[in-house]
Amino acid sequence: MEAVCERGNLWSAYERVVGNKGAAGVDGIDRLTFKAHLQQHWPTIKAKLLAGTYIPQAVRRVDIAKPQGGVRTLGIPTLTDRLIQQALHQVLSPIFEAQFSASSYGFRLGRSAHQAVLAAKQYVAEGRRVVVDMDLEKFFDRVNHDILMEKVSRGVDDRRVLKLIRRYLEAGMMADGVVSPRTQGTPQGGPLSPLLSNILLTELDRELESRGHAFCRYADDCNIYVRSQAAGDRVLASITQFLEERLKLQVNEAKSAVAKPWERKFLGYSLTAHKSPKLRIAPTGVERLKAKVGEVFRRGRGRSVRRTIEDLNPVLRGWAAYFKLTESRRVLEDLDGWIRRKLRCLLWRQWKRPYRRAQNLMRAGLPEERAFRSAFNQRGPWWNSGASHMNAAYRQSYFDRLGLVSLLATTQRLQRLA
């Protein structure tokens, strides 16, 4: 605990927590008033931490919609508790890092989803052309506190730290002013939860390694690669039993499967069925981008095309950076064309009246006769946005001049830099 409360460790944790620009917890203290709050209360909080008597506040419940339906429940701690959790994480992480598996990629320094995806591709290229895709049902809500704390205690002998971690696990969740107690689970939203999930699931990693399996795990997302359907069926059954008996975790049978890798997705990617498989973007990755782009357009009704592009570009850059490993051009070309069509549709809607549409088409270079015929065609905005007159008047070069990010060009540039 002395290491947790050491000045340099706390300052590093403070910069991280404030830099994340997260929302306030149940106490309403935000990052703008956090420093003043700490200056007044930190001596008392520190004394309680060192004495082992500090009690965390409840976490604020926030439900966010999942892309595939349903909701994910987050528990947002207060900024003070996020600071303490981050300080704990910085001290505990080096202790447990040495114990983690080389096949574990989530929430670890120097490890990434891209590394996990490339490892999966390599396993399939080596002939393991069946994947056991395991989905843990509501993992963060189902973690058994006693089992987790037993594993934490193997690396930590300071009883004050162990008590504090358990108190964080058991901190109530507040919704609509009512606090509900917690008897299991580690709420997503705090800096400590990812580390605790890796500590617990390291036992799964060791079990898979002892059986000689090739696998990739990113947090609670685990794919095991085998050479036949029969082997996959056996692995799914035996590992399901192991998880239920040893870790008290439930496998979601509806979402888990033994299948060909190109029939499943892993961290947003999928693979082609070639002998030398290629990485491609899973359909859900495309759907998520379209949903985000659609939200930008809904928020920006009435804005100019230039302003809309300024709002779009950060979304497109972030998506392209994540999917830069894709080896398929077609989906990127299609998405680039779809985004340009959305922008042409925005233009057509904003012009509203046929005479104004004709004038703008002529300004963009169309002959008068074609411009008026197109403007008065009585078709809808989406049809016109894909028609030849709008494509001829507002070519790709027009949007390039306005600075629209190209997904294809961005991923190709990132691939060259890698």
Side-chain angles (χ1 to χ4, degrees):
M1 187 61 79
E2 282 75 13
V4 172
C5 294
E6 189 269 328
R7 184 177 180 83
N9 185 57
L10 285 170
W11 179 249
S12 175
Y14 173 83
E15 289 185 320
R16 181 73 177 268
V17 169
V18 173
N20 285 340
K21 301 180 181 179
V26 296
D27 60 0
I29 296 171
D30 60 21
R31 59 192 180 89
L32 299 177
T33 57
F34 185 42
K35 187 173 183 179
H37 172 79
L38 286 179
Q39 288 171 340
Q40 181 179 355
H41 296 285
W42 182 251
T44 302
I45 295 169
K46 180 180 178 181
K48 289 181 178 180
L49 288 169
L50 293 172
T53 59
Y54 178 79
I55 306 295
Q57 291 185 267
V59 297
R60 182 167 63 88
R61 177 172 177 151
V62 176
D63 292 330
I64 59 174
K66 291 183 178 180
Q68 291 85 15
V71 297
R72 175 179 289 109
T73 298
L74 302 183
I76 308 300
T78 64
L79 279 168
T80 299
D81 283 322
R82 296 215 288 278
L83 170 69
I84 297 169
Q85 286 194 32
Q86 182 62 36
L88 277 167
H89 184 286
Q90 291 167 184
V91 171
L92 295 177
S93 186
I95 295 171
F96 289 97
E97 179 64 30
Q99 305 171 19
F100 292 159
S101 167
S103 296
S104 166
Y105 296 91
F107 308 118
R108 295 177 62 189
L109 188 64
R111 297 247 158 179
S112 68
H114 286 165
Q115 292 173 335
V117 167
L118 290 171
K121 176 188 173 184
Q122 183 61 34
Y123 290 143
V124 177
E126 291 170 352
R128 298 176 177 87
R129 297 175 73 81
V130 173
V131 62
V132 182
D133 185 355
M134 302 193 71
D135 182 272
L136 296 178
E137 189 169 3
K138 296 183 177 178
F139 168 75
F140 285 94
D141 296 331
R142 299 279 174 85
V143 169
N144 183 286
H145 291 173
D146 292 334
I147 293 174
L148 173 57
M149 289 309 302
E150 187 275 327
K151 298 187 184 313
V152 174
S153 67
R154 295 178 190 176
V156 177
D157 56 9
D158 189 326
R159 294 181 63 82
R160 297 167 298 177
V161 172
L162 295 173
K163 279 184 180 179
L164 182 58
I165 293 173
R166 184 175 276 276
R167 286 170 182 159
Y168 275 121
L169 291 172
E170 295 175 348
M173 185 170 286
M174 180 180 285
D176 300 323
V178 178
V179 177
S180 304
R182 296 180 64 86
T183 57
Q184 63 178 7
T186 170
Q188 296 183 71
L192 204 52
S193 290
L195 175 62
L196 295 177
S197 71
N198 274 334
I199 291 172
L200 181 65
L201 290 175
T202 291
E203 186 158 343
L204 168 63
D205 299 340
R206 295 305 176 210
E207 179 68 18
L208 292 170
E209 288 171 346
S210 70
R211 300 184 186 190
H213 289 309
F215 69 97
C216 300
R217 183 177 67 78
Y218 192 95
D220 59 329
D221 198 347
C222 185
N223 277 8
I224 307 162
Y225 296 88
V226 296
R227 296 181 184 275
S228 70
Q229 181 75 29
D233 292 336
R234 288 195 301 272
V235 169
L236 179 58
S238 61
I239 295 300
T240 297
Q241 183 179 4
F242 169 84
L243 287 166
E244 292 175 351
E245 293 180 356
R246 291 282 290 277
L247 299 181
K248 306 301 181 188
L249 296 172
Q250 199 77 28
V251 172
N252 188 326
E253 294 182 4
K255 293 184 179 180
S256 301
V258 179
K260 299 296 184 183
W262 42 92
E263 297 171 353
R264 307 293 291 180
K265 64 180 178 65
F266 181 51
L267 302 177
Y269 282 87
S270 189
L271 289 163
T272 65
H274 299 107
K275 186 173 182 180
S276 296
K278 297 183 182 298
L279 287 170
R280 62 183 180 88
I281 302 165
T284 52
V286 175
E287 290 165 10
R288 289 184 189 184
L289 176 66
K290 286 190 171 184
K292 288 181 180 179
V293 168
E295 179 59 30
V296 171
F297 275 93
R298 281 190 292 276
R299 288 200 313 266
R301 284 177 180 165
R303 291 181 182 175
S304 68
V305 168
R306 186 182 296 276
R307 177 65 188 279
T308 303
I309 287 173
E310 289 174 358
D311 291 342
L312 272 176
N313 280 345
V315 174
L316 301 179
R317 287 193 190 97
W319 189 89
Y322 184 76
F323 286 108
K324 67 181 181 181
L325 299 182
T326 185
E327 297 169 273
S328 173
R329 290 171 51 103
R330 179 64 183 271
V331 67
L332 300 173
E333 291 171 342
D334 289 347
L335 282 169
D336 277 339
W338 176 77
I339 291 166
R340 289 194 296 271
R341 183 172 180 180
K342 292 278 288 183
L343 290 166
R344 293 185 186 104
C345 186
L346 177 64
L347 284 171
W348 191 266
R349 286 181 184 277
Q350 289 178 344
W351 295 338
K352 293 183 180 178
R353 296 181 181 279
Y355 278 105
R356 187 181 175 192
R357 289 169 179 165
Q359 288 170 348
N360 282 315
L361 288 172
M362 284 189 290
R363 286 194 194 102
L366 289 193
E368 181 178 357
E369 189 274 333
R370 185 182 181 189
F372 271 89
R373 187 175 69 251
S374 301
F376 283 85
N377 63 28
Q378 297 186 328
R379 298 273 193 166
W382 185 246
W383 185 91
N384 277 285
S385 66
S388 61
H389 52 269
M390 283 297 282
N391 278 277
Y394 296 91
R395 300 175 183 275
Q396 179 179 339
S397 57
Y398 169 79
F399 298 106
D400 289 342
R401 289 195 300 273
L402 291 178
L404 177 66
V405 165
S406 163
L407 296 173
L408 177 61
T410 302
T411 53
Q412 289 178 333
R413 178 175 57 81
L414 291 172
Q415 287 169 358
R416 289 194 298 269
L417 293 173

